[in-house]
Amino acid sequence: MDLQVYRCCIGLQLEELDLLSSIYCAAGELQLLDAGVVADFSEFLQSESEASLRSHLEYIIRLTVAAKQCVDVRIELPHLYPQLELARISVHTPLLDKIKEQHLKLQIDNYLLEQRQAEEPYIFQLLSWLQDQIEALMSCTSSDLECPPSEEPKEPKGMQLERLWIYSHHIKSSAKRQELVRQARQLQLTGFSRPGKPGIICVEGEPENVQEYWRSIKALRWQKISLVRTEPCHKRRFEHFTEQLFNSSAAGGEEGVINMGQFIRFLEDHGTGYMKSELFGLA
């Protein structure tokens, strides 16, 4: 990832923190969980490497809601927030029962998903919105809300699924690209393949079919191919198996340079954003 992208995002995070500090300036309203991160970020902006990016910026903001009661909002900002990664927000308060808290969590998740294309910081706007939502929930009854399930529905015991992440030096051969798609669809797997350099493959489905896929494609001629991660799962994240280019330009073809922004958004959209670290070393 270009250091300039990191610099831009880290700079925006520090500017936003400075703004929030001036707004939430009363004692206890803004608490940095690790004050040393600010110094690390300032050092990073003056350096030529990512060595100073050891931790994320995390803080708690205490919101005053109805009847002068307070709610703590915990905020964690990945290094590429706000341009390529979403903020992580959590609220735990005795002012809301379990049903209301679950409802609020869904509202927050939906709000954050709407910020996927954002390029500017949005924590202050989120906090203002969050204050309104909490006050509205405090004034309604739990029976007015539809209670979401506390856990994802699981497949029957014999239907546990598996997901594989595969990394290749490159995928260029059109015959090989077609075979990757053909094998996945024949085995009723979902996921994606990204041709070019590097080549990335994700497949999910019944474990025996997933492992059969890995055995089959591993037997093809590769300069370098490795299994990055195997994970059990109870729910598919992808509807079909498709080829995705993630190129910087439409004319890039399979030789195009991967557009990291497109790729990360694709992962986030499918609930697999955690893989950016294992695939590319992004924190």
Side-chain angles (χ1 to χ4, degrees):
M1 176 68 70
D2 190 339
L3 274 179
Q4 285 303 112
V5 179
Y6 278 97
R7 290 184 195 281
C8 180
C9 291
I10 295 301
L12 288 171
Q13 290 183 30
L14 291 178
E15 289 175 8
E16 181 179 48
L17 178 64
D18 187 55
L19 171 66
L20 292 172
S21 298
S22 67
I23 297 172
Y24 300 96
C25 54
E29 277 194 314
L30 192 155
Q31 175 192 353
L32 274 173
L33 297 185
D34 182 355
V37 174
V38 174
D40 289 344
F41 280 11
S42 298
E43 179 184 339
F44 164 71
L45 293 177
Q46 303 299 320
S47 70
E48 298 297 328
S49 75
E50 300 171 39
S52 302
L53 294 180
R54 292 183 289 272
S55 301
H56 296 118
L57 185 59
E58 290 186 70
Y59 47 88
I60 294 173
I61 289 185
R62 179 160 293 172
L63 292 179
T64 301
V65 293
K68 296 185 178 180
Q69 299 182 87
C70 295
V71 173
D72 287 344
V73 182
R74 180 167 178 155
I75 298 155
E76 179 184 353
L77 303 180
H79 292 148
L80 294 175
Y81 161 89
Q83 295 187 351
L84 296 178
E85 295 183 277
L86 297 175
R88 297 162 191 159
I89 310 295
S90 58
V91 178
H92 299 284
T93 172
L95 299 178
L96 303 178
D97 62 26
K98 185 175 181 180
I99 291 176
K100 292 181 179 181
E101 196 170 283
Q102 288 179 329
H103 185 80
L104 180 63
K105 183 180 185 304
L106 283 178
Q107 288 181 305
I108 293 172
D109 290 345
N110 290 334
Y111 183 98
L112 291 174
L113 285 175
E114 291 174 0
Q115 310 305 315
R116 285 174 298 181
Q117 305 301 320
E119 295 191 356
E120 296 297 325
Y122 50 80
I123 297 302
F124 177 67
Q125 291 89 333
L126 182 147
L127 290 169
S128 300
W129 169 85
L130 194 54
Q131 191 166 10
D132 292 340
Q133 302 307 307
I134 292 172
E135 290 180 349
L137 286 171
M138 289 173 63
S139 64
C140 73
T141 62
S142 297
S143 59
D144 295 333
L145 305 173
E146 182 179 342
C147 179
S150 58
E151 295 183 359
E152 282 187 350
K154 296 185 178 182
E155 298 282 348
K157 185 175 181 181
M159 292 294 291
Q160 178 162 316
L161 306 176
E162 189 171 76
R163 186 179 300 116
L164 294 189
W165 295 87
I166 301 162
Y167 188 96
S168 167
H169 179 266
H170 66 263
I171 303 173
K172 295 182 180 179
S173 162
S174 60
K176 191 177 293 182
R177 289 168 58 187
Q178 291 172 13
E179 183 65 11
L180 293 176
V181 176
R182 188 190 70 80
Q183 286 270 7
R185 292 177 178 173
Q186 182 177 352
L187 292 167
Q188 298 182 315
L189 303 178
T190 54
F192 70 93
S193 63
R194 191 273 161 178
K197 183 178 179 181
I200 301 164
I201 305 164
C202 171
V203 287
E204 56 186 11
E206 295 185 29
E208 59 270 26
N209 292 345
V210 168
Q211 292 301 323
E212 175 61 27
Y213 184 84
W214 172 231
R215 285 192 294 269
S216 297
I217 69 163
K218 188 169 57 171
L220 303 175
R221 182 175 296 178
W222 301 92
Q223 180 171 331
K224 181 180 179 182
I225 190 168
S226 58
L227 186 58
V228 177
R229 178 169 177 158
T230 302
E231 52 185 344
C233 54
H234 298 289
K235 181 180 179 181
R236 295 180 189 248
R237 298 290 187 180
F238 303 89
E239 292 183 8
H240 310 285
F241 188 91
T242 57
E243 184 177 87
Q244 301 283 338
L245 294 179
F246 309 113
N247 282 342
S248 298
S249 66
E254 69 272 17
E255 301 293 335
V257 176
I258 188 169
N259 183 309
M260 196 60 68
Q262 289 181 16
F263 182 66
I264 290 176
R265 287 191 183 105
F266 178 80
L267 293 181
E268 295 283 3
D269 287 348
H270 291 86
T272 56
Y274 55 88
M275 282 304 300
K276 63 183 180 293
S277 174
E278 294 192 46
L279 291 169
F280 297 103
L282 300 177

